[in-house]
Amino acid sequence: MSADPIAFRKISKRSQNQKAILEAAEKVFAEAGFAGATTQLIADVAGLPKANVHYYFKTKEELYRRVVYNIFDIWMEAASAFDTELGPREALSRYIDIKMDLARSHPNGSRVWAAEILHGAPIIQDYLEGPLLEWSTDRGKHIERWIANGEMDQIDPAHLLYMIWSTTQHYADFGHQIETLNGSKPLSDEQWQAAKLSVKTIILRGVGLSPD
Amino acid sequence: MSADPIAFRKISKRSQNQKAILEAAEKVFAEAGFAGATTQLIADVAGLPKANVHYYFKTKEELYRRVVYNIFDIWMEAASAFDTELGPREALSRYIDIKMDLARSHPNGSRVWAAEILHGAPIIQDYLEGPLLEWSTDRGKHIERWIANGEMDQIDPAHLLYMIWSTTQHYADFGHQIETLNGSKPLSDEQWQAAKLSVKTIILRGVGLSPD
DNA sequence: ACAATACTTGACCATATAGTCAAAAAATAT
DNA sequence: ATATTTTTTGACTATATGGTCAAGTATTGT
């Protein structure tokens, strides 16, 4: 009939605990940085004794690695939304949308990533030199093709990508500052919509595309 | 005749040491974060024994505060480059230029600031709620006036400011990533010029201004 | 029922580090 | 010259924390 309930429970328990720990870790790393995060606090947030955290993740660094890899995976997944089949207007527009949505739904991931790069990418350097470089050069080529086809303005693709990354991630990484400047209130749904629209409008117009 | 050489030497020694410590601290805080930075390493970088660092700065937190305040001052100084007398094209263009120059000349300051905000601005919160909020609302009003005058496109001033901040600071905060994507070589003078031009072009066109 | 395996957890330890201190050296004032 | 103040510095301490461990408990396989 259905899957073995015992085996299911076993696996479930394991992965449930791991998930709780990883989520707690992401939050704590985001708020305190790698060095400032204590395994004790991660354990508290996850609702487990500290020794249990070390049972699932040998060292704090291993736990941190897992958190960073998770984020990278989510981002690369989102990166596939940059579908070059669609032409520049749709491709950029959708990519910005997804990045903005991620900034809102996954701010801590973005913050951990930002801190990692800030400190020289001690963990993730391989990924920068590998998949990220690959992805960037590939999309860069497509952008250059669009430019050659006269579908958008002449612009260095690298700087366009940096602008999309920085602007969208800013809403996560500097969310606290934005919130403060917003009268110490988180952006409302409407404000998020407005933010997305502003970002898309400026960038698309900025490279010679019509935003609608 | 000239100033008392003894008094001069005395003051000079003090401020020289303090300056060396502050510079070392900025670097170390940028690279390791507040918690990851050790007073020992700061002392080593400054070329002084640790106890001497504590002689000039009572606690690590006080030293960190001083570093963050320094950065804030430099940024507010730069912010005055956003001279609203000039009209939107010149004002925005010059402001972006200055911010890009600061990203290059003072990357560690930018990184410390970024980490501070990332972690919820435990030290600088007052400044966000005070001078920064004031400055932002003031410039926002000017931008709205420009829009009302038909001098630029309709756009939410806040999001325009966020875009300028995020894009320019990205070249400092994510400098390591940019360097990696640039074949692990720092941007050359020409590349920095190109970066500035790209950023200005996209943003100015993006809000309906001609970049030249 | 029994064995074996997986998980839980309080207590513990080794280490790193912020901060102290007292004694000496240097600079300055009288 | 002498007193006074400022600066320097090695040695020390208290504490926080990553990680271990062994004894227990629960779960699963036979």
Side-chain angles (χ1 to χ4, degrees), chain B residues 127-159:
Chain B
Y127 283 34
L128 295 187
E129 290 171 8
L132 184 64
L133 176 57
E134 222 172 290
W135 183 88
S136 304
T137 31
D138 174 65
R139 304 300 146 124
K141 288 217 180 81
H142 283 285
I143 293 172
E144 268 161 5
R145 192 169 46 82
W146 289 331
I147 293 170
N149 280 357
E151 294 179 78
M152 55 180 281
D153 287 356
Q154 171 80 47
I155 203 80
D156 184 328
H159 296 302

Side-chain angles (χ1 to χ4, degrees), chain B residues 83-102:
Chain B
D83 181 351
T84 50
E85 300 296 307
L86 294 168
R89 194 170 66 89
E90 272 301 301
L92 292 175
S93 183
R94 287 191 196 190
Y95 183 49
I96 293 170
D97 268 333
I98 298 246
K99 290 283 292 175
M100 287 296 282
D101 290 342
L102 268 181

Side-chain angles (χ1 to χ4, degrees), chain A residues 14 17 49 51-52 55-56:
Chain A
R14 234 193 126 73
N17 276 349
N52 208 336
Y55 175 74
Y56 285 108

Side-chain angles (χ1 to χ4, degrees), chain B residues 186-205:
Chain B
L187 297 190
S188 64
D189 289 356
E190 292 72 31
Q191 286 177 311
W192 270 98
Q193 287 307 319
K196 281 169 78 164
L197 190 60
S198 291
V199 170
K200 278 189 289 184
T201 301
I202 297 179
I203 293 182
L204 290 181
R205 285 226 178 98

